[in-house]
Amino acid sequence: MRHLVLASLTFLTTLASQAAPPRQASPREQFTALLLDAGPWPERVEVRGKILVVADFVAAAREQNVAAEDLARTVADNLLLAVLTEELQHQKTWLSDADYEAAYAAYAKPYDETPFKVKVIATRFNAYPDLPSFQRRWRVMQSFVRAQKLEQPPLAELELEAKLSLDFLTGALVQAEVWVHEAQLAADGRRDFAAAEGAARQSLQQLAAGKEPEEREGVQCLRPDNGRPIPRNQLRTALGEGEYHSLHHDLAADAVFAAEPGKLLGPVRTKTGVLVARVLRRPAGEGRVDVDDPRKQDLLRQMVEQRRFLAWVDQVLVSTGIRIDGRPFASPAPANAGKAK
């Protein structure tokens, strides 16, 4: 018995040393999980005294002929945007129809004069299901951006963003092996993420013990680009992720990219399941980020806007007294909400 106990302690110590510490789900991930995960649909969401009936969002998605596998995510996206719209209207910072139309036209014009129209960028590169989905998100985000006066962030904030995103901006790469555990899809588009996480934890234990995860149905091993190091965007593409999914949960590709080489990562939620990964190495990028370059400034400004926007979304979810089916939405308050991290 003593040998069994020592063997168990050795295994647990090895697992702890090889695996990255678990990450706490963000408030927006906890909120959308109520709609994406298998189980009964919530009936209503209350925000600022207004009742949002979930069945109405489900019916609207079905009327738009949304594919079954996309139904739950469409409902989650539209419901979360409705919550944020209520907050913006409460703060009197919601873009009016006229202001939105003028602002969007000015934004879209330079893109739509090229082959890389807004629709192409949104759907092909950022994973939005269609242009209207992007436009709804854009209106919410721009209402926030203009209220926060983020059109021209201070130079110090651009410099901080350049430091935080240095690997991405200088073309750093990651070499990793990723095992994706598919969450079983139900007829209403919701998925059994709990079962997928259980399978992912089993794979993580096998990796920690020096074994390859067993080949079984619903588990796919990805070695992007035949195992060679790849940039972050290529990893996002391999996992089917994009900007569209970042409102629902932190992107799994970003977690893999940020993981320490030699460590095991997971379980981490993807858009259709749960992954674990073995990060082999992360070659550094080359060069530096010139924050005085107007093109770099524009990119950094967009990154600041996105970071601040997602932090604000988390803040709204935990600080506005949201109730789901009459019960408070319970989630810890995020640190530095609304500020660049």
Side-chain angles (χ1 to χ4, degrees):
M1 175 66 74
R2 180 173 179 271
H3 293 298
L4 289 174
V5 171
L6 289 174
S8 298
L9 288 173
T10 300
F11 169 76
L12 291 173
T13 301
T14 302
L15 179 61
S17 64
Q18 290 183 353
R23 178 190 63 84
Q24 182 173 347
S26 64
R28 65 185 186 282
E29 184 172 319
Q30 294 178 47
F31 180 87
T32 54
L34 296 171
L35 299 154
L36 296 175
D37 291 20
W41 290 99
E43 294 182 3
R44 64 191 186 280
V45 175
E46 181 179 352
V47 54
R48 296 292 187 187
K50 180 168 182 176
I51 303 296
L52 303 172
V53 180
V54 176
D56 293 343
F57 288 81
V58 176
R62 286 184 168 139
E63 287 175 4
Q64 296 165 8
N65 296 316
V66 172
E69 62 268 23
D70 298 324
L71 180 65
R73 189 168 294 278
T74 299
V75 171
D77 190 66
N78 289 341
L79 186 59
L80 181 50
L81 291 178
V83 168
L84 300 175
T85 298
E86 288 298 323
E87 177 62 16
L88 289 163
Q89 290 176 339
H90 176 79
Q91 298 293 340
K92 298 183 176 10
T93 54
W94 176 244
L95 280 178
S96 68
D97 290 350
D99 287 343
Y100 161 69
E101 290 169 5
Y104 182 78
Y107 163 79
K109 187 175 186 295
Y111 294 100
D112 289 348
E113 291 175 344
T114 75
F116 291 98
K117 301 182 186 310
V118 173
K119 181 178 180 179
V120 172
I121 295 173
T123 58
R124 187 177 300 175
F125 300 110
N126 291 329
Y128 286 89
D130 49 41
L131 182 60
S133 297
F134 170 78
Q135 291 169 328
R136 286 192 293 271
R137 179 90 59 90
W138 192 89
R139 184 173 184 175
V140 170
M141 184 171 177
Q142 288 305 306
S143 295
F144 165 77
V145 165
R146 289 163 190 253
Q148 295 289 314
K149 301 186 181 347
L150 290 179
E151 296 96 329
Q152 292 295 330
L155 181 60
E157 190 160 7
L158 296 179
E159 291 173 339
L160 175 59
E161 185 62 43
K163 181 178 180 180
L164 292 171
S165 304
L166 183 64
D167 283 351
F168 173 70
L169 294 169
T170 57
L173 308 174
V174 67
Q175 182 181 10
E177 299 171 316
V178 178
W179 287 266
V180 180
H181 303 73
E182 190 79 4
Q184 186 173 359
L185 181 68
D188 61 2
R190 306 180 81 192
R191 291 180 178 271
D192 192 350
F193 284 99
E197 181 172 337
R201 290 188 183 281
Q202 181 181 346
S203 293
L204 191 64
Q205 290 178 349
Q206 292 169 347
L207 286 166
K211 302 176 182 178
E212 292 286 303
E214 298 173 357
E215 292 187 10
R216 55 195 189 277
E217 186 178 0
V219 181
Q220 180 185 13
C221 179
L222 298 177
R223 293 181 174 88
D225 202 13
N226 296 318
R228 290 187 287 269
I230 59 173
R232 184 182 315 201
N233 281 344
Q234 190 173 339
L235 182 56
R236 286 182 178 180
T237 300
L239 294 173
E241 295 182 324
E243 179 185 281
Y244 173 66
H245 303 98
S246 66
L247 183 62
H248 314 145
H249 53 78
D250 294 340
L251 298 184
D254 293 354
V256 174
F257 202 91
E260 182 181 344
K263 294 282 190 179
L264 299 177
L265 174 70
V268 176
R269 180 180 286 232
T270 71
K271 69 170 189 174
T272 59
V274 180
L275 69 72
V276 297
R278 178 163 54 201
V279 181
L280 303 176
R281 64 192 183 103
R282 199 173 66 224
E286 299 179 356
R288 56 183 292 273
V289 180
D290 182 4
V291 295
D292 294 322
D293 183 335
R295 290 175 298 180
K296 282 290 190 292
Q297 284 190 359
D298 186 57
L299 176 59
L300 288 168
R301 176 187 56 77
Q302 294 176 48
M303 296 173 76
V304 167
E305 289 177 0
Q306 179 75 357
R307 190 184 296 273
R308 290 266 212 115
F309 174 66
L310 294 178
W312 171 75
V313 173
D314 284 337
Q315 183 185 57
V316 169
L317 290 172
V318 300
S319 65
T320 55
I322 291 173
R323 302 179 71 85
I324 299 176
D325 290 344
R327 296 183 296 275
F329 172 66
S331 179
N336 301 319
K339 299 178 180 179
K341 298 179 183 178

